[in-house]
Amino acid sequence: MPENIGAAARAMANFGLTDLRLVEPREEWPSVEAERNAAGALEGIVTARVFDTLPDAITDLNVTFATTARTRDMNKQIFTPHEAVEHIQTSGFTTGLIFGPERTGLTNEDLKYCQHVLTFPVNPDFSSLNLAQAVLLMGYTLYESAGPGVIKPDQEPPASQQKLEDFFLRLEGALEDNGFYKAPHLKESIQRNIRTMFMRADFTDQELSTLQGVLSAFIQKN
Amino acid sequence: MPENIGAAARAMANFGLTDLRLVEPREEWPSVEAERNAAGALEGIVTARVFDTLPDAITDLNVTFATTARTRDMNKQIFTPHEAVEHIQTSGFTTGLIFGPERTGLTNEDLKYCQHVLTFPVNPDFSSLNLAQAVLLMGYTLYESAGPGVIKPDQEPPASQQKLEDFFLRLEGALEDNGFYKAPHLKESIQRNIRTMFMRADFTDQELSTLQGVLSAFIQKN
């Protein structure tokens, strides 16, 4: 909804966040309604770009955090906002924070494309954060923790999401060709599990090349 | 305004704050409009009481923090939210956080009654926090510092080293069979790299079984 996007942009601008990526916004973009709710944030401070799919929106990022209201039953590491910010600041990696729509939040399909999950600590008896408030809390936590003297270790960044996605698609295709998915109704959840476990490893470009080579060794033989 | 009071109550409830004190609200209290904006927070979670003056509202408190959007020229210590929370938690004093009306903020007269001043770190080029957002940030900072944070789900432990070794040996054998190691002198370092990247993922038993299945799919085909 445009008003939620505007309010989120306003929350971002308060904390110097400028790169807003919209995935399939429900209404036309740019939007007067969004601008009305952005209190000026969309006029030269926050830049909004529109993408068709979540994977398209994150191709150039090294790391993504999915924000969810509740913990879910899945084997991904769950970060608090502070832990996520620490990760972002010590790694120095280009990182995206992914927020779901106001009412429904992120789907399991969305989570497939995110390395880590981030959950806000809130009162278990009354949890009622809206989208802009979630953005506000992340912006604040980032802004507040950012200071001079953040030391970035000499570490290879994870490969771009695009390369990771290329690898997954090729692996999934090869598995399909080899009759790996015996129960079609389980195919999606198996793919999700494989993605989840591989994403935890934060493969670098070099490592992904090695994995592509492994895959080629298996495929060419067939 | 009732809607701002409701939104503030909603922000409070998210972080377990329950004692709301209203000084001279502009409109009648209780208010249907406030309740509509409180999303249930005013029904048994947050208790609101009305006072005629600020001094009346804070008689029983040990310490008060005035929240302001900007620093002012005055001889009071200025706290960040984190510093204020640290003060509250280490002192154990009954402490009030004082917020001004949405548009005007606290007056200098109001500040007379507050020990300390608290300012939110925000982008100096775009500072646009509303009342409920200021309450939200303080509630979050308090809540987050108070306890263990998010309750993390019972995460599956990584698989035993034995199972991991079984997988690596099988993978390495299969790669050998498929002519993967083209330069024999590099074989060892390639194996080490593959082990390193896979070990970073801390695969569980279940995940290793999936990987063994992936391997089988590629091997059986040959």
Side-chain angles (χ1 to χ4, degrees):
Chain A
M1 298 279 285
E3 48 271 49
N4 295 325
I5 298 172
R10 177 181 169 185
M12 287 173 68
N14 272 292
F15 302 112
L17 299 175
T18 58
D19 185 2
L20 173 59
R21 303 175 183 202
L22 305 170
V23 176
E24 224 191 333
R26 195 196 297 185
E27 294 178 27
E28 205 172 290
W29 191 265
S31 148
V32 174
E33 188 64 23
E35 271 158 30
R36 211 196 325 273
N37 281 272
L42 287 167
E43 293 148 38
I45 299 175
V46 171
T47 306
R49 285 177 289 163
V50 174
F51 297 86
D52 287 336
T53 67
L54 178 55
D56 286 346
I58 63 179
T59 45
D60 60 321
L61 306 180
N62 298 126
V63 179
T64 51
F65 283 91
T67 58
T68 74
R70 57 197 182 288
T71 58
R72 305 189 193 204
D73 184 26
M74 70 191 135
N75 203 11
K76 281 188 201 274
Q77 186 177 349
I78 297 183
F79 288 72
T80 66
H82 254 283
E83 288 166 349
V85 165
E86 209 175 289
H87 185 282
I88 293 167
Q89 287 174 346
T90 56
S91 73
F93 299 153
T94 306
T95 305
L97 302 171
I98 321 286
F99 296 85
E102 169 90 13
R103 289 196 191 284
T104 53
L106 293 169
T107 63
N108 284 335
E109 174 71 11
D110 295 330
L111 289 175
K112 245 175 67 177
Y113 302 104
C114 303
Q115 264 96 9
H116 305 301
V117 174
L118 184 167
T119 300
F120 296 95
V122 287
N123 181 0
D125 299 329
F126 184 94
S127 162
S128 174
L129 288 182
N130 66 31
L131 172 63
Q133 288 176 326
V135 173
L136 187 86
L137 290 181
M138 280 313 300
Y140 172 72
T141 306
L142 273 163
Y143 193 82
E144 207 235 348
S145 309
V150 173
I151 296 147
K152 298 177 184 177
D154 240 2
Q155 202 191 331
E156 285 267 330
S160 70
Q161 296 293 308
Q162 182 60 59
K163 288 199 177 155
L164 191 62
E165 184 63 19
D166 289 346
F167 169 71
F168 283 140
L169 291 178
R170 186 159 171 249
L171 172 65
E172 287 162 2
L175 287 173
E176 181 97 70
D177 292 344
N178 285 29
F180 176 71
Y181 307 111
K182 292 190 180 71
H185 64 289
L186 292 180
K187 177 174 151 182
E188 249 189 62
S189 74
I190 291 171
Q191 287 184 344
R192 201 156 48 230
N193 291 342
I194 292 177
R195 281 167 176 255
T196 296
M197 66 174 118
F198 276 41
M199 279 198 286
R200 273 212 312 277
D202 280 344
F203 295 130
T204 65
D205 263 348
Q206 176 73 57
E207 290 172 341
L208 267 189
S209 298
T210 303
L211 279 181
Q212 289 278 20
V214 166
L215 205 47
S216 298
F218 287 127
I219 292 173
Q220 77 193 13
K221 195 65 184 295
N222 298 329
Chain B
M1 299 281 285
E3 48 273 48
N4 294 325
I5 298 173
R10 176 180 170 187
M12 287 174 66
N14 272 293
F15 302 111
L17 299 176
T18 58
D19 184 3
L20 174 59
R21 303 176 182 199
L22 306 170
V23 175
E24 224 190 336
R26 195 198 294 187
E27 294 179 26
E28 206 172 289
W29 192 265
S31 148
V32 174
E33 188 64 22
E35 269 157 32
R36 206 192 334 266
N37 282 272
L42 287 167
E43 293 149 36
I45 299 175
V46 171
T47 306
R49 286 177 288 163
V50 174
F51 296 86
D52 288 336
T53 67
L54 178 55
D56 285 348
I58 62 178
T59 46
D60 61 320
L61 305 180
N62 299 127
V63 179
T64 51
F65 283 90
T67 59
T68 74
R70 58 197 182 286
T71 58
R72 304 187 196 206
D73 183 27
M74 67 190 136
N75 198 10
K76 281 184 202 277
Q77 186 178 349
I78 296 183
F79 288 73
T80 66
H82 253 285
E83 288 165 349
V85 164
E86 209 176 290
H87 185 283
I88 292 167
Q89 287 173 346
T90 55
S91 72
F93 298 151
T94 307
T95 304
L97 302 171
I98 321 288
F99 296 84
E102 170 91 12
R103 288 196 192 284
T104 55
L106 293 169
T107 63
N108 284 335
E109 174 69 13
D110 295 330
L111 289 175
K112 253 175 57 182
Y113 302 103
C114 304
Q115 263 95 17
H116 305 300
V117 173
L118 185 165
T119 300
F120 297 95
V122 287
N123 181 359
D125 298 328
F126 184 93
S127 160
S128 176
L129 289 180
N130 66 30
L131 173 63
Q133 289 176 326
V135 172
L136 186 88
L137 291 181
M138 280 312 300
Y140 172 72
T141 306
L142 271 163
Y143 193 82
E144 205 235 348
S145 309
V150 182
I151 295 143
K152 300 192 177 189
D154 269 346
Q155 263 178 9
E156 287 267 330
S160 70
Q161 292 299 306
Q162 183 57 58
K163 290 201 175 151
L164 193 61
E165 186 60 24
D166 290 345
F167 168 72
F168 282 143
L169 291 176
R170 187 159 171 248
L171 173 65
E172 286 161 5
L175 287 173
E176 183 96 72
D177 293 344
N178 285 29
F180 176 71
Y181 306 112
K182 293 188 178 73
H185 65 290
L186 292 180
K187 178 173 149 179
E188 247 187 66
S189 73
I190 290 172
Q191 287 184 345
R192 202 160 46 234
N193 290 344
I194 291 176
R195 282 170 177 253
T196 298
M197 69 174 117
F198 275 45
M199 281 197 287
R200 272 213 312 278
D202 282 341
F203 294 130
T204 64
D205 264 348
Q206 176 73 55
E207 289 172 342
L208 268 188
S209 300
T210 303
L211 279 180
Q212 289 278 21
V214 166
L215 206 46
S216 299
F218 287 126
I219 292 172
Q220 79 194 10
K221 195 70 183 294
N222 298 328

